[in-house]
Amino acid sequence: VVKAFEMEIIPAERIVAQIGGTLMLTCNTTGCASPSFSWRTQMDSPLGGKVSNHRTYSTLTMNPVGIVNSHSYLCTVICGERGKKEKSVKVELYSFPSDPIIEISPSLIAGEPAPVICKVPDVYPSHHLEVLLKKDEHVLHEEYFLDDDSTNTETKTVTYTFHPMAEDAGKEITCVARLPIADMDFEPKERTSSQKLNVNFGPQNTVITASPGNSPMEGDSLNLTCVTQSNPPAQIVWSKYLAEESIQHLTKNNVLFVPRVHFNDSGRYICEVINLVTNKTEEATVDIIIQGAPVITKLSIEPSTTVQEGENVSIQCSAESNPPPKIILRRKSDNADIGTSSARNILLPSVMFQNGGDYECVAENKYGNSKREITLNVKYGPRNTMITVFPAALKEGETVTMKCTSSGNPDPVISWKKKTATGESEKISKNATITIQNLKSQDLGLYECEAYNEFGKEEKAVELYVQARLEEPDQMIPFIIAFSSVAAVAVPAAAILIYVSRQAKINGSYSLVKALRLKV
């Protein structure tokens, strides 16, 4: 049986090929022992490929496929006397070889415009191209190339100005490129590329939290934590407002820890956050008030704790606490309140020695109280110097004791002198008390007591002399009287006449006056 002469082209009638790829057209025959093959384009353009003939088939290979291959190709087979046959196949081209390329700055700054560029490489035919820019699932921009008349592959670029926000950090920008050509069967017809956004922002929403709170008790620990939103993480600097608008820098950490707070830790604390990329700063402040029982910070006496009588003296007590303390300053000896205030000078003008002693400062509020003491030492010269003689009325041969006392600060030094017959004073003792035994006439005379310290001296005197004699039938007895005189300030002492009697019993008692018979 002789087969009929037939031919076919594979693929038949129509083929879709990607530019840059490889395409092979095959022309097969049956029923012909020695066929002759030829290939041409419908417009007699160059083939743009390589022909390879075999015994019963011929191939046209296009590698790589280019724009020149966009034709209808005709295969002609001649089989001797059996005639010739022809068939054609249309080659339709496209180019969509790779995913889009996204170009975004790796370091965006929130609020500042930034271009987003999407490039679709080597696309053809570009008038079918559709490009979408999306942020996550939200479409930012769409672009179509309907009016494009390119006759070759081109890289198409879409540019969109994007205003990133802080909340965009970590989100994705996606470029979706589509090439939807009707009646062309190829895959993929959609390509995508995505890039995460690195948005530098802040600092913003900076806040300070205080633990255990803004008003801790004195002695408690305090944690101040500064929290901010920033990319990249911000540098944090803690500082504190001081007097006269100066600032004390504390630490570079997001947590400021004070293990044991004191009243002077009260104040306004500042957390300053700095983003070195965005070159922006932000501050947050918190007012800390330390509460607790008073602490006396100062108890002083000016000009000194030791002063001379007559100087002006200022006693000052100050304390700190929250709530503010009530301060009482008083002398302990009489519990007399000198003053009540929060912190002020208490003036003792022309201080007297009676003002000396221990002073107490008491500071109190609802949380408790605090006490401190200080001593005011008032120096003054001798005063109230006094001589006492015992016994006040004397006989020759008896023992007499004379004692000199004086007050002063420091304690006065006591010394005794006696007037001699020449009128000069002779030092006889450095003791406050002198004792004369077996009193004789030569012991009579003026005795002087001197009280001395670095702030002055005071003198007193007493005179021992014969005032009268007692006449008896068998004897005359001398009586001696002590008379106190004043060198500095007169002091009434034993400046009276004393009569000494012999012992007489009258009505069961002794009478000094009646027993005496005076002869002056």
Side-chain angles (χ1 to χ4, degrees):
V1 177
V2 179
K3 291 184 178 180
F5 172 41
E6 298 291 344
M7 69 164 295
E8 64 174 349
I9 291 182
I10 302 174
E13 296 183 357
R14 182 170 175 267
I15 181 64
V16 176
Q18 177 161 295
I19 296 173
T22 299
L23 176 63
M24 180 182 288
L25 302 179
T26 301
C27 187
N28 279 327
T29 64
T30 57
C32 182
S34 299
S36 174
F37 297 95
S38 64
W39 293 86
R40 64 183 178 87
T41 64
Q42 198 170 24
M43 303 297 294
D44 288 330
S45 298
L47 288 177
K50 181 180 179 181
V51 176
S52 180
N53 292 322
H54 302 273
R55 191 173 66 83
T56 59
Y57 66 94
S58 176
T59 60
L60 173 59
T61 303
M62 292 161 271
N63 185 22
V65 176
I67 289 296
V68 295
N69 301 123
S70 182
H71 298 292
S72 289
Y73 285 86
L74 185 67
C75 177
T76 302
V77 181
I78 300 174
C79 189
E81 296 177 352
R82 301 187 73 172
K84 72 174 182 179
K85 291 184 180 291
E86 291 181 333
K87 282 191 177 181
S88 66
V89 59
K90 185 177 182 180
V91 176
E92 295 181 350
L93 301 179
Y94 79 97
S95 180
F96 200 33
S98 58
D99 292 339
I101 299 169
I102 298 178
E103 295 179 359
I104 307 175
S105 170
S107 182
L108 304 174
I109 296 179
E112 295 186 8
V116 177
I117 299 172
C118 180
K119 295 180 179 180
V120 185
D122 301 325
V123 65
Y124 179 85
S126 55
H127 63 276
H128 287 281
L129 182 64
E130 301 174 359
V131 177
L132 282 76
L133 289 174
K134 298 195 301 181
K135 181 178 70 177
D136 284 351
E137 296 304 317
H138 173 67
V139 176
L140 298 174
H141 180 68
E142 294 180 88
E143 193 161 329
Y144 302 90
F145 297 85
L146 299 175
D147 298 329
D148 194 271
D149 55 359
S150 298
T151 58
N152 206 338
T153 58
E154 282 188 355
T155 296
K156 294 299 182 183
T157 301
V158 174
T159 301
Y160 173 71
T161 300
F162 174 54
H163 289 77
M165 305 302 293
E167 56 268 24
D168 293 328
K171 293 183 178 180
E172 285 190 337
I173 290 289
T174 300
C175 179
V176 180
R178 296 173 181 155
L179 197 62
I181 305 174
D183 300 326
M184 286 185 70
D185 186 18
F186 64 89
E187 290 294 338
K189 291 188 177 181
E190 179 177 296
R191 290 181 177 273
T192 64
S193 289
S194 297
Q195 184 173 321
K196 277 194 174 183
L197 293 174
N198 179 29
V199 181
N200 297 304
F201 61 88
Q204 62 188 29
N205 302 324
T206 304
V207 293
I208 297 174
T209 57
S211 176
N214 290 31
S215 300
M217 296 297 292
E218 204 258 353
D220 287 352
S221 62
L222 175 65
N223 265 304
L224 298 180
T225 304
C226 185
V227 178
T228 190
Q229 296 175 349
S230 176
N231 185 38
Q235 288 188 358
I236 294 178
V237 177
W238 281 99
S239 53
K240 180 187 176 187
Y241 281 118
L242 300 178
E244 302 175 356
E245 299 183 353
S246 62
I247 291 180
Q248 174 189 13
H249 294 289
L250 301 174
T251 185
K252 293 182 178 180
N253 200 327
N254 69 315
V255 176
L256 175 61
F257 176 66
V258 184
R260 186 177 177 86
V261 294
H262 300 283
F263 290 115
N264 58 4
D265 291 317
S266 294
R268 176 164 293 181
Y269 289 81
I270 312 135
C271 169
E272 182 182 26
V273 287
I274 307 162
N275 187 321
L276 298 178
V277 175
T278 63
N279 201 29
K280 293 181 180 179
T281 63
E282 189 173 75
E283 285 186 358
T285 61
V286 63
D287 291 321
I288 299 298
I289 301 173
I290 311 301
Q291 299 192 94
V295 173
I296 295 175
T297 56
K298 181 178 181 182
L299 178 58
S300 65
I301 298 176
E302 298 296 338
S304 172
T305 55
T306 299
V307 296
Q308 188 173 351
E309 191 176 47
E311 290 188 66
N312 292 331
V313 172
S314 172
I315 303 178
Q316 185 184 60
C317 179
S318 57
E320 59 181 14
S321 70
N322 187 53
K326 174 186 177 184
I327 295 179
I328 300 172
L329 184 61
R330 62 194 175 201
R331 191 171 62 187
K332 289 186 67 177
S333 60
D334 52 14
N335 283 331
D337 292 353
I338 294 180
T340 299
S341 66
S342 58
R344 76 175 196 188
N345 290 332
I346 306 303
L347 184 63
L348 297 174
S350 190
V351 69
M352 301 174 64
F353 75 92
Q354 294 94 331
N355 298 129
D358 294 331
Y359 287 81
E360 179 182 60
C361 177
V362 180
E364 58 186 20
N365 67 9
K366 66 179 181 179
Y367 294 113
N369 62 66
S370 179
K371 294 182 181 180
R372 276 179 63 182
E373 295 181 10
I374 195 169
T375 300
L376 173 62
N377 187 15
V378 180
K379 301 284 190 179
Y380 61 95
R383 64 185 59 181
N384 300 326
T385 305
M386 180 182 295
I387 297 174
T388 58
V389 180
F390 181 81
L394 309 169
K395 292 180 184 179
E396 280 187 294
E398 291 186 335
T399 297
V400 61
T401 299
M402 291 183 288
K403 183 177 182 180
C404 182
T405 59
S406 181
S407 64
N409 187 17
D411 291 336
V413 175
I414 305 294
S415 63
W416 283 93
K417 295 182 290 185
K418 181 177 182 296
K419 286 281 188 181
T420 64
T422 62
E424 296 180 356
S425 294
E426 177 187 1
K427 289 185 179 182
I428 59 173
S429 177
K430 291 184 179 180
N431 296 321
T433 301
I434 59 174
T435 301
I436 304 173
Q437 295 179 343
N438 192 18
L439 187 66
K440 303 178 183 63
S441 59
Q442 59 262 36
D443 295 320
L444 303 181
L446 186 67
Y447 288 82
E448 297 173 333
C449 164
E450 181 184 84
Y452 170 84
N453 67 14
E454 59 187 290
F455 297 101
K457 69 178 181 178
E458 188 175 55
E459 293 181 344
K460 291 294 176 70
V462 64
E463 186 175 7
L464 300 182
Y465 65 96
V466 175
Q467 177 67 24
R469 291 180 180 272
L470 179 64
E471 291 184 359
E472 288 293 336
D474 55 350
Q475 61 180 353
M476 291 288 291
I477 303 174
F479 292 89
I480 300 167
I481 190 165
F483 179 77
S484 176
S485 65
V486 180
V489 179
V491 177
I496 59 172
L497 295 176
I498 305 295
Y499 302 97
V500 179
S501 70
R502 59 186 174 88
Q503 194 172 13
K505 187 175 182 182
I506 302 175
N507 297 326
S509 63
Y510 295 100
S511 172
L512 295 177
V513 177
K514 292 180 180 181
L516 295 177
R517 179 165 58 88
L518 291 176
K519 184 176 182 180
V520 179

